[in-house]
Every structure is written in C-alpha cells, then in structure tokens.
Amino acid sequence: MNEIKYIDERLWAGHLGNAFVVLSFVAALLSFFSFYLSHKNTGFVNLARISFNIHGFSVLGIAGTLFFMLFNHYFEYQYVWQHSNTEMDMKYILSCFWEGQEGSFLLWTFWNIILGWILKRQLKGGEWEVPVMTVFALVQVFLASMLLGTYILDYKIGSNPFLLMKEHAEFSNLPFVLAGKYESTARGLNPLLMNYWMTIHPPTLFLGFASTLVPFAFSIASLWNKQYTKWQVVALPWTYFGILILGVGILMGGAWAYEALSFGGFWAWDPVENSSLVPWLVLVAAGHTMIINKKKGGSLFTTHFLAIGSFLLVLYSTFMTRSGVLGNASVHAFTDLGMTGQLVLYVLTFVFISVALLINNSLFKTSYIVGSLLMLAFGVIYGYKKNLLIVWVSVSSIITAISYFKYFPKEKEEEELFSREFWMFLGSLVLLLASLIITYFTSIPVLNKLFNTEYAPPKPALYNTWIAPFVIILLLLMGGALFLKFKKTDLRLFFKRISIPFALALVFGLACVIPLYFLNNSPVTWDTVSYALLFIFALFAIFANGDYWLNILKGKISKSGAAIAHVGFSLVLLGALISTSKKTTISKNTAERKVSDLGEGFDDKVSILLTQGDTLPMGPYLVTYTGKERKGINVYFKVDYLKLNKDNKPEFDFTLIPHIQDNPRMGKAPEPATKHYLNRDIYTHVTAADLNVDTTKNKNAYSSAKNYVGHVGDTIFATNALVIIDSLTTNLSKEQYQKNDSLLEVTAVLKAVDAQSNSFIARPKYIIKNNIVIPKDAELEKLGLKFVFWKINPDEGSIEITMSEKVSNNKDFIVMEAYIFPYINILWLGCLVMATGTGIAIVERIRKLRLQSKV
C-alpha cells in the first residue's frame, strides 16, 4: 500500500503548541514542588516563582498558537476543523476558541495564571505567599494535565488541541483525510454559540470560576499553617470579587438564553446553569460568614467549609459538564472525551487535601491518608470503584464533623437571636441549604449512574416549589439584617426601624398581588401563595435597604455597597417572579388550518400558523407574515405587528424579524426576536418554516397539476379563489357527432370568485378529432390559474379537470410562538444594581485592607 502524502500540512504549529503544552505541565509541576518545599526551606522560593512564570508564559503560548491556527484555518488540526469553518463570521472566532473542552480548560488555566500573578505580587515575601501559591500551582498541574492528550497504562490523560486529523481515531478515516488533502469541509461552530453574548459570557464565567480558587487557597493555607482567622482579612476582597464576576457571568448566561434559545425564558434550571449558580450561592454565603468572623470571631468552621466548598463545587460542576454523565439533560454539556477518571481524580484530590488538613491529630491524619491511598490503589487494581467511593465519601464526612467538634476554636458565648451576625449566619445557612437541594436535583444523572437507577431529572416547576420558601426567608433576612447591630440590638429601635419599610411593602404588595394572583378565577394554590409572599418580601428588602442607605448611611456611596447589592438582588428576584409567573402566550392559533395537523409537538394553544400576506389576530395585535430573506446561513422571517387605532382601523406598530440558522453541518437553530418596551417584552420565535428561498425561480411558472373529478355545480378550491363548474356546452349533439363523425367540442364553463367577490370565467375545451382527444386549456391570468378539461365519464355524469396554480400563488407559511414578558426590565435593572453594589463593597474592602497594612 502506498504511503499517503498529506499536502500543505503546517506541522510547525502543532509542534510549537505541543512544546508549550509540555512546558506548561512541567513548569507547573516544578512550581508546585518548589513552593511546597519552600514551606520549610525558603531557598526554593525563587525557583518556584520562576517556574510559575514559565508556566504562565507557556499557557499564553498555547492560547496564542491556537488562536493563530483558528484565524488562519489550519483545518489539518482536529480542534480547528471541528470548531470553525470558512463560512462563519470571524467575529465568532473567540467562541470557537472555548467551544471545545480543550479550549475551555485553557481559558480556565489562563484566568488562574492572571489571578496567580496578581496574587503572587500582592503576597510576595509575606507569610501567605508560599502556602497560597502551593495550592495555586497544584491546581495548575491538574489543569495543565487536561491538555496533555497522552496515555499512561491505558488511562487517558487530557485531550490535546494540537492533534492532527490523521492522528485522531474518529476522523482519520474520513475520505478527504485518506485522500491526502485537507479541504475546507470543517464542521464549524455550534449554531447556539453564534451570538455576541457567547463572546463575553464564557470568559466572564470562567474568570468567576477561577476567582473561587483564591478564598479556597487561603483557607487551605490557613489550615496548613494553623492560622485559622488571619487569612480572611486578605481573602475578603477577593471573595467579593468572585461574587461579582461569577454573578455577572451567570446573569450574562441568562441574557444569552433569553436572546438566543427558544424555550421562552432566561432560566430553565438546566444542570449546567445550576452547576454555576450553586458555587456562587456558596461563595456569597462564605463572604458573609467572613464578615461575621472578622467582626466577632464567630462562624470560623463555617467560613472554612463554605470557602472550600465553593471551589470544590466548581470542580464538581466541571466533572458533570465534561464527563458526559449529563447526556442530553443539558444544552450546555460537553461530550465525553474519555477523561471521566481524570476529572473524578481532580475532584477527589482536593476533597482529600481539605479533609486531611482539618485533622490535627498526627496519627489520625496519617491513618486517613494511608487508608485513602490504599482504597484508591484497591479500586484501580481490583475494581469496586463505586462502592469504595461511597465508603470514602462517608468516612471523609464523618472525619470532617469530628474535626469541627474536636479541633476548631469555638465561640465563648452564643450569638444573640437579634444580632446582625446571627441573621447573617442564618442567611448563609439558607443559601447553603438551597444549594444542597439544587445540587441534589442536578446530580440525579450522576446518582443514576452511581446506583444504577433511572430517576428522571425534575422539571423546573419542582425546583420553583422547593426553592421558593428559602428565597422568602432570605428576603426577610436581607431586609432586616442591616438594621441589627453586632452582638446585641435594641429590639424596640429595631422594630421601629423596619416597621415603615414593612408597612410600605405590605400595602404596595397586597395592592399588586391581589389583582395579579387572586382575582383571576383560578384556584388558590401553594404557587400563588408563594408568589404573593415573594412579591411582598422582595419589596420589603428593597424598601428596607433603601431606607438604610438614605437614613442610616445618609446616602454615603462608599459605605452602601451591601445595601445597594441587596436592593439589586431583590430586584432580580422580583423581575424574575413577575415576568415568569405572568408570562402570557399570545400566539394561540386563529388560522383556519390547525397547527396540530402538522404533527406531534405542535399545539394550537401556543402556536399560530401565519400564511404569507394574510393578517390574523394574535393577542392584542394583528400580525402579518410578509416574507423571508436568506443571509448566509440565516433565514429571516419578517412579521409585521398592527394595532387597532381609535377609529378601529389597523395601523402599523412594529416589525419583528426572528430567524432560523440553517447550518448544513450542525442542524437548524431558531433564534428569537424581541420587541422591548419599558414595561414588557414581546418575545417571538419561529418553530416551523420552509427554509428554501429561491430567488431565481420563474414566478410565471405553474405548479404541478392537480386532478379534480366533479359534476356541474361542484366547487374546486384554489389558493386564492373558489372555482365553480357552472355548465357544459357542446358544438354538436350526440346524434350529429355520430352521423357525421366530425369535430366535437365540449366546453366546461368555470366561474371563479376571488376573496374580493370578483368573478372570472374560464372555458377549457374537451375536443375529439378523428377519434383523438385533444384538450385545450384555459387560463385566468389575473388569478394565476390554468385548467385542462381532459376526460368525460358519461356513465357517472362527471368530468375530470386538472388545475395548476402559478408558483407565486403557493403562499409560504410559518408557525410562530409569541409571549409577553411583563416587567422583565426589573430583572435586568436588578443585575446592574447588584453588580454596582458589589463593586462598591469590593472597593471599600480594598481600602480597609490598605489602611490595615499601613498600621
């Protein structure tokens, strides 16, 4: 067999990228060991710093090489071929970079490097540099290994983005690869990612994930140094930075889902959405317990537990989204690249380190370490991995509980019920419990795999039912906590302070919720009661924090970060509540043709069928589908919205142009179009349509003829007219024809009536000459109809006529869904307010940290 010659392979790019990958891993490993040894021998510190810098520059080299290959279409490389093509808009090249697992791990590694460099400079020469950077370097070792793409004893270690197509098991046998020539037949970007939000949402989200490493590293460092409290002073601004960035990243994801996905909303309790939300909730809880500990010295174990837990939950979410365990349960999940074992090891390693450092007793700690390693070895050699994992997790949980009760410093006195620290702790506990419930529901695919069960993932309604009570309690705590003082509060003054905001919330809340939820002839359920309570307590939190800012803080911006963030969070919840609970479907079908006739999945109660040129009522509007246009792989559908004026005549209001991305390799993806008003959004997307847009076809051509059998008086239905068989006339009688055997003409008189009651006459002829039938057609040019009278059935007394319609008569149609989201702008306003408040809190924490460092 002749050796295949591959043409125009740019092998230098792969060699360079692989060199950076190897150097990145080796430098991270060297940095970890050097920082670790520096804990007892400071002579290794310089080597640790240099190797960490080399690792960082190697990561930049990997990213730069991959970007260069994507920009220049090096399709001989699997990652470039699989995630980009020459047809896509180059502005989405960033999305190509992090669409795949390798790119997303690289993005995460990049942000860790940036944060690590900043932190290394901040801590240089201090007591926290060595232990904190040891943790950073170890995390980088694991992340760098995710790009190695090698095998050790049949175990796959990482997935390499610089693999050639001919080296990839899945693609090496493709025809154009076997032919020895790479062509621009690349798969391209997932249609759902061709959205401007996806150029900024993933990097923001991964920066948020990376930021959870900072409080985790400080917490582990403090356990290592047995300095349980000092770390929080430095870690607190970083924690709130993580809260800000991860929160903004999650909200960007909601905005992307609202604009790009067609499920009709911004949050669907998708497993991947949940796996980013839960670490954020736990990080928020950690930030509040840090403040408690800083002010009063309490909640020490809880602070460590939450700071460690937020990072471990990021690792767990990484396992869920990249191991393939979610399958089709999420639109965000990656496919399994054979790294499940490596991802599990990644998670368990840091759980193991965290638990081991909680143990103070040397013998106890040694027993735990040796026992864990023996269980790992037994599992690798003999199997029983699931059973051993369950045992190990149970033992680790028991050890964690024992460590808390036996070793951790305890508070000398109990917290007062009406003290700020107790309410803040209670709020953190509520966030933790809600996170555990969400984690359990999200982990059902994992539990199914672990215990061989087949439980179905819960629907969004079940999430809402479970989480609503926690949100109500949280809003109550948010509204009252800032009016409480640390240690002890004058109850009379406290209730006096909150009475006015609570009364305002109750009055305005009841005035809104009664007509919204209780005067619509629907039965009162837990959902309606919980909606009402959420509405009232959200108003309470808004009014109370606003009052605290204006009257207690006297409007001082620098001191108001917490109050403004609380207002923002309450607005987010209020906007989500109103827009979701009062979401209205206006696209109920009013056409004569039923949507349900199109097949399973089509419902006349939620979808409307619009024929081009027709105007139909839809909710408070009249809508007209006016046509479609193709631009590249996108097909745009123009829908005009009209409203009745004061004279009860329709007049134009606005136009929406939803589109469907017709990707030949990745399938069809509808993207909605939305009309934004101050108090509502009109949200539409097309669920079914003909995507063929033939601008070259002859509009005067006729469609295929359809045959009709009828009698005089019968009606034929055309697209734009009713055609009645009015009468039949002949030039000869039957006797005359039989006697002379001459030419016989039978004329069908057809009367056509259009939608405006205009009448037209057509006279197709049935001619027999020399015993040969010669039909003569007739056209109605104004209606675009052509008739051929071609058969007479004397026994039945019927005739047969074919009718053809001009192509331009065959009107296009679409099936569309449309919703009204009332007051959704409250949600987006809340996002901005919450981010602003958190940013103010970060600036204030940094200012206080600098003042402390000068003292």
Side-chain angles (χ1 to χ4, degrees):
M1 182 176 179
N2 295 328
E3 183 180 353
I4 297 174
K5 294 182 179 180
Y6 294 92
I7 300 173
D8 295 331
E9 284 186 331
R10 277 83 38 123
L11 298 179
W12 66 268
H15 293 327
L16 180 62
N18 282 314
F20 280 131
V21 167
V22 174
L23 182 60
S24 168
F25 177 74
V26 172
L29 196 61
L30 179 60
S31 177
F32 163 66
F33 281 117
S34 299
F35 272 122
Y36 178 79
L37 294 173
S38 298
H39 192 253
K40 293 184 178 180
N41 184 351
T42 56
F44 287 97
V45 171
N46 285 333
L47 177 60
R49 293 169 180 164
I50 292 171
S51 54
F52 190 84
N53 288 339
I54 292 173
H55 164 67
F57 287 118
S58 300
V59 171
L60 296 179
I62 299 170
T65 304
L66 191 56
F67 265 124
F68 183 85
M69 290 163 54
L70 286 165
F71 271 112
N72 291 281
H73 306 303
Y74 283 17
F75 292 125
E76 60 266 38
Y77 291 94
Q78 172 263 327
Y79 195 88
V80 180
W81 185 88
Q82 193 167 13
H83 300 290
S84 69
N85 59 29
T86 55
E87 299 169 7
M88 59 175 284
D89 196 322
M90 289 300 289
K91 66 184 178 183
Y92 297 126
I93 204 73
L94 290 172
S95 300
C96 297
F97 180 84
W98 44 67
E99 183 194 22
Q101 288 213 35
E102 300 90 340
S104 61
F105 275 122
L106 182 55
L107 180 62
W108 189 0
T109 310
F110 167 78
W111 283 128
N112 276 0
I113 283 296
I114 299 300
L115 295 180
W117 277 340
I118 296 172
L119 201 60
K120 184 161 64 73
R121 182 175 180 179
Q122 178 187 353
L123 304 176
K124 188 173 182 179
E127 62 179 324
W128 293 109
E129 180 189 9
V130 168
V132 168
M133 293 309 298
T134 301
V135 178
F136 252 84
L138 181 57
V139 171
Q140 292 303 89
V141 170
F142 275 91
L143 288 176
S145 72
M146 295 295 175
L147 301 180
L148 286 176
T150 188
Y151 285 85
I152 298 177
L153 299 176
D154 293 330
Y155 286 95
K156 186 178 182 181
I157 309 298
S159 180
N160 193 309
F162 301 106
L163 198 65
L164 287 163
M165 291 286 287
K166 66 183 181 184
E167 298 170 335
H168 197 285
E170 184 179 344
F171 304 122
S172 59
N173 290 322
L174 291 175
F176 66 89
V177 176
L178 292 175
K181 183 178 179 180
Y182 295 103
E183 300 173 2
S184 298
T185 56
R187 288 187 176 179
L189 190 64
N190 187 318
L192 296 176
L193 303 184
M194 291 188 187
N195 182 280
Y196 65 93
W197 280 113
M198 293 312 292
T199 62
I200 56 176
H201 161 57
T204 306
L205 191 69
F206 274 94
L207 176 57
F209 286 159
S211 65
T212 64
L213 175 56
V214 180
F216 171 80
F218 272 105
S219 179
I220 294 296
S222 70
L223 294 175
W224 190 4
N225 288 342
K226 300 296 185 289
Q227 297 184 17
Y228 296 114
T229 57
K230 291 173 63 177
W231 65 280
Q232 298 179 50
V233 176
V234 187
L236 190 57
W238 285 100
T239 302
Y240 276 88
F241 172 78
I243 291 170
L244 171 63
I245 300 300
L246 186 53
V248 169
I250 293 169
L251 294 171
M252 283 181 176
W256 165 69
Y258 184 66
E259 288 197 12
L261 301 184
S262 56
F263 66 83
F266 47 84
W267 193 264
W269 294 108
D270 180 273
V272 178
E273 294 173 345
N274 297 345
S275 61
S276 59
L277 174 66
V278 168
W280 182 78
L281 293 175
V282 175
L283 192 64
V284 171
H288 285 75
T289 56
M290 284 183 189
I291 294 174
I292 297 172
N293 188 263
K294 182 173 176 290
K295 291 287 186 180
K296 189 176 174 290
S299 303
L300 183 58
F301 177 81
T302 307
T303 303
H304 280 277
F305 181 80
L306 294 173
I308 292 171
S310 63
F311 177 72
L312 293 181
L313 285 165
V314 168
L315 299 187
Y316 179 63
S317 71
T318 303
F319 161 73
M320 282 204 299
T321 56
R322 286 165 173 77
S323 64
V325 69
L326 291 179
N328 296 322
S330 171
V331 298
H332 304 74
F334 293 89
T335 55
D336 184 11
L337 294 184
M339 298 190 295
T340 302
Q342 188 179 359
L343 291 167
V344 171
L345 184 63
Y346 188 7
V347 177
L348 297 184
T349 296
F350 287 96
V351 173
F352 165 74
I353 291 171
S354 303
V355 175
L357 288 174
L358 285 171
I359 305 171
N360 271 358
N361 184 279
S362 300
L363 181 60
F364 194 10
K365 181 181 291 187
T366 303
S367 301
Y368 174 72
I369 293 172
V370 172
S372 298
L373 295 175
L374 286 174
M375 290 174 72
L376 175 64
F378 190 88
V380 171
I381 297 171
Y382 299 106
Y384 305 103
K385 295 183 182 69
K386 293 181 181 179
N387 294 333
L388 289 171
L389 177 62
I390 295 168
V391 172
W392 184 80
V393 170
S394 302
V395 170
S396 298
S397 302
I398 294 170
I399 290 173
T400 301
I402 293 172
S403 299
Y404 164 63
F405 286 108
K406 190 169 182 180
Y407 301 123
F408 258 79
K410 303 295 187 302
E411 298 172 43
K412 295 180 180 178
E413 57 185 40
E414 293 293 327
E415 296 169 342
E416 292 285 339
L417 177 62
F418 287 93
S419 63
R420 185 180 292 188
E421 62 269 24
F422 180 76
W423 280 44
M424 289 174 68
F425 174 79
L426 195 59
S428 298
L429 185 62
V430 169
L431 289 171
L432 178 62
L433 291 175
S435 300
L436 292 175
I437 290 172
I438 296 170
T439 301
Y440 169 73
F441 285 151
T442 307
S443 300
I444 285 178
V446 180
L447 298 174
N448 283 340
K449 196 166 186 178
L450 196 60
F451 296 106
N452 296 318
T453 54
E454 296 181 357
Y455 293 110
K459 302 292 184 183
L462 184 62
Y463 278 101
N464 295 335
T465 301
W466 274 88
I467 298 302
F470 293 97
V471 177
I472 293 168
I473 296 171
L474 190 64
L475 289 167
L476 174 63
L477 296 172
M478 286 169 54
L482 289 179
F483 290 102
L484 295 167
K485 294 183 178 180
F486 285 101
K487 294 187 178 180
K488 196 170 183 179
T489 302
D490 184 337
L491 288 183
R492 185 185 63 81
L493 183 61
F494 168 70
F495 284 114
K496 181 180 178 182
R497 285 287 189 190
I498 67 169
S499 60
I500 295 177
F502 187 80
L504 288 173
L506 192 61
V507 172
F508 281 103
L510 288 174
C512 293
V513 300
I514 289 174
L516 278 175
Y517 300 117
F518 297 104
L519 296 181
N520 51 9
N521 298 321
S522 298
V524 177
T525 63
W526 162 246
D527 285 341
T528 54
V529 173
S530 64
Y531 293 160
L533 292 174
L534 278 169
F535 196 105
I536 292 169
F537 282 107
L539 288 179
F540 170 61
I542 293 168
F543 292 150
N545 282 277
D547 179 51
Y548 181 83
W549 174 37
L550 294 174
N551 294 318
I552 305 298
L553 298 178
K554 306 300 182 184
K556 292 181 181 178
I557 297 294
S558 61
K559 304 289 184 182
S560 61
I564 293 175
H566 288 172
V567 170
F569 186 67
S570 303
L571 286 171
V572 169
L573 294 175
L574 184 63
L577 169 66
I578 299 173
S579 62
T580 303
S581 65
K582 302 308 294 182
K583 169 185 170 183
T584 305
T585 302
I586 59 174
S587 53
K588 296 176 182 178
N589 192 31
T590 55
E592 291 184 4
R593 183 178 176 185
K594 290 185 177 181
V595 174
S596 54
D597 291 342
L598 298 176
E600 189 177 352
F602 291 95
D603 188 347
D604 288 277
K605 294 180 180 179
V606 297
S607 300
I608 187 170
L609 190 149
L610 295 175
T611 301
Q612 185 174 352
D614 289 351
T615 300
L616 294 177
M618 188 182 79
Y621 300 98
L622 298 170
V623 289
T624 303
Y625 167 46
T626 60
K628 61 188 175 185
E629 179 185 11
R630 177 180 283 271
K631 294 181 180 179
I633 61 173
N634 294 322
V635 180
Y636 295 87
F637 303 89
K638 185 179 179 183
V639 181
D640 288 340
Y641 284 68
L642 302 91
K643 294 196 82 171
L644 297 177
N645 60 19
K646 60 183 179 181
D647 297 323
N648 209 34
K649 293 182 179 180
E651 61 181 16
F652 176 80
D653 194 6
F654 60 89
T655 297
L656 285 177
I657 309 178
H659 72 274
I660 295 179
Q661 189 179 129
D662 185 19
N663 193 309
R665 298 184 183 92
M666 306 294 291
K668 297 173 177 59
E671 292 199 24
T674 306
K675 176 66 175 178
H676 302 285
Y677 290 99
L678 188 62
N679 64 341
R680 70 192 187 281
D681 277 2
I682 312 298
Y683 176 101
T684 62
H685 70 274
V686 174
T687 58
D690 180 8
L691 301 185
N692 295 315
V693 182
D694 187 359
T695 58
T696 62
K697 64 186 177 183
N698 182 7
K699 299 296 184 180
N700 293 318
Y702 282 96
S703 63
S704 298
K706 294 182 180 180
N707 190 56
Y708 296 90
V709 179
H711 304 79
V712 173
D714 286 350
T715 301
I716 300 171
F717 293 90
T719 303
N720 55 354
L722 299 177
V723 182
I724 302 168
I725 304 175
D726 185 71
S727 61
L728 297 174
T729 63
T730 64
N731 66 329
L732 297 173
S733 66
K734 182 178 179 181
E735 291 76 13
Q736 288 176 324
Y737 172 70
Q738 291 175 343
K739 185 183 293 184
N740 299 316
D741 195 24
S742 56
L743 181 72
L744 174 65
E745 290 184 3
V746 181
T747 303
V749 180
L750 306 179
K751 182 180 179 181
V753 182
D754 66 11
Q756 288 75 39
S757 298
N758 297 314
S759 297
F760 305 86
I761 300 296
R763 292 182 173 84
K765 297 180 182 294
Y766 178 83
I767 301 173
I768 301 178
K769 184 177 181 180
N770 299 324
N771 294 321
I772 298 175
V773 176
I774 307 173
K776 183 179 181 181
D777 60 33
E779 290 188 52
L780 293 176
E781 292 187 0
K782 289 186 177 181
L783 296 178
L785 301 176
K786 181 169 70 173
F787 304 93
V788 177
F789 179 13
W790 70 280
K791 189 175 183 181
I792 296 175
N793 301 309
D795 294 337
E796 290 83 14
S798 65
I799 62 172
E800 296 190 34
I801 295 175
T802 64
M803 182 179 71
S804 305
E805 300 187 58
K806 281 189 177 180
V807 172
S808 56
N809 286 3
N810 295 329
K811 294 185 179 180
D812 189 24
F813 73 90
I814 61 172
V815 177
M816 187 179 76
E817 293 182 9
Y819 307 96
I820 295 179
F821 285 96
Y823 297 101
I824 193 170
N825 285 328
I826 295 176
L827 185 151
W828 308 125
L829 174 64
C831 297
L832 296 175
V833 174
M834 183 171 66
T836 301
T838 309
I840 292 170
I842 293 169
V843 172
E844 179 64 11
R845 296 296 169 189
I846 293 173
R847 186 187 67 82
K848 289 183 177 180
L849 179 61
R850 288 176 177 172
L851 288 175
Q852 284 182 302
S853 63
K854 291 178 181 179
V855 176

